[in-house]
Amino acid sequence: LFRSGLLPSCPPEIPGYEVFDYYEAARHVGGDFFGYVPLSDGRLAVVLADVSGKGVSAALLMAALSADVRYCLASERDVAQAVARINESFLRGGWDDRFATLMVAVLDPTSHRVTICNAGHLPPLLRDASGRVLQAGAGLGGLPLGIDSDGRYRSSDVDLAPGETLVMFTDGVSEAMNAEQHCYGLQQVETVLAATSGGAAMIGRGILADVDRHVAGEPRSDDVCLVCLSRLAS
């Protein structure tokens, strides 16, 4: 119900780009959220969030957050200011000790520029055409939503060259556990990303397959959410 009602049924079609997404809840309803928000001037916001907790209560909070994200991004052009407004709304919601991490990446497909704002979320990874992997917007990490009413957020611009891919995910990917309770790890995500060429779908499936290899059939302890955005080689 929550998967079909709140999360995208398919990736958006953007001329000159390829988008791949994947979502798997650790339980029947999960606390991870991702979405695509069309904005003015043909821009598109890609949003990932991870709400604290599991089960129905986390899913309800995710639903409220989803609505706030869409409204604030559509009504405030400055991405960092929009995230600050989302944080204010989250705090007014009276969610007690709950919090959420949030990452917003706004693509302008005309200028091929992505504006990133991060509220305590894992930074996205950028793979260039040669296979070099960098953390995009490193050092931007503001506080998660729901922590501080005076939370300050900053944004950073990344230009996507032909053949480059931006990879965004929740900690259900990097913290996936095997039978020995070893985490998959952010370093392994970067290693697989560097070694996997191709567009968004090929890269996304390569990461997911390697996570499955690591987990080796163990039950998932956290939701898995992954979005890859590739600018097609010209």
Side-chain angles (χ1 to χ4, degrees):
L1 173 63
F2 284 94
R3 176 67 174 92
S4 60
L6 287 177
L7 303 181
S9 57
C10 61
E13 293 186 4
I14 309 168
Y17 285 84
E18 180 184 6
V19 185
F20 171 85
D21 60 44
Y22 178 85
Y23 176 87
E24 179 186 350
R27 301 184 182 180
H28 291 301
V29 288
D32 280 9
F33 162 76
F34 79 99
Y36 307 107
V37 185
L39 303 176
S40 60
D41 304 326
R43 295 173 302 137
L44 179 78
V46 181
V47 181
L48 275 77
D50 187 351
V51 171
S52 63
K54 297 283 190 300
V56 173
S57 61
L60 292 173
L61 176 50
M62 181 185 76
L65 177 59
S66 169
D68 283 344
V69 164
R70 293 177 185 280
Y71 174 77
C72 292
L73 286 174
S75 57
E76 172 59 67
R77 185 177 180 90
D78 185 286
V79 180
Q81 288 294 326
V83 172
R85 288 178 57 182
I86 294 165
N87 180 54
E88 292 167 3
S89 180
F90 191 101
L91 286 162
R92 287 196 304 268
W95 297 103
D96 298 323
D97 295 329
R98 290 297 181 90
F99 64 91
T101 65
L102 173 73
M103 201 282 299
V104 180
V106 176
L107 168 68
D108 183 337
T110 303
S111 65
H112 307 293
R113 177 163 291 177
V114 180
T115 302
I116 296 168
C117 186
N118 193 331
H121 199 82
L122 291 166
L125 300 175
L126 178 67
R127 183 195 193 277
D128 69 17
S130 69
R132 186 178 59 148
V133 176
L134 303 171
Q135 290 190 5
L140 281 181
L143 289 172
L145 306 177
I147 302 294
D148 186 354
S149 59
D150 293 326
R152 297 287 187 266
Y153 298 97
R154 295 178 296 137
S155 62
S156 175
D157 291 336
V158 175
D159 292 319
L160 279 185
E164 293 191 335
T165 300
L166 196 65
V167 177
M168 299 155 274
F169 50 93
T170 59
D171 58 13
V173 174
S174 56
E175 296 181 5
M177 294 277 194
N178 62 12
E180 289 75 39
Q181 297 298 293
H182 292 152
C183 274
Y184 182 69
L186 184 58
Q187 182 62 54
Q188 183 63 14
V189 179
E190 296 182 7
T191 298
V192 174
L193 178 57
T196 308
S197 59
M202 192 173 298
I203 286 172
R205 292 189 183 110
I207 293 171
L208 293 170
D210 198 59
V211 172
D212 284 343
R213 174 201 58 76
H214 173 80
V215 172
E218 287 296 302
R220 296 293 171 93
S221 59
D222 202 357
D223 306 335
V224 172
C225 183
L226 173 73
V227 179
C228 302
L229 170 69
S230 293
R231 182 178 172 192
L232 300 177
S234 55

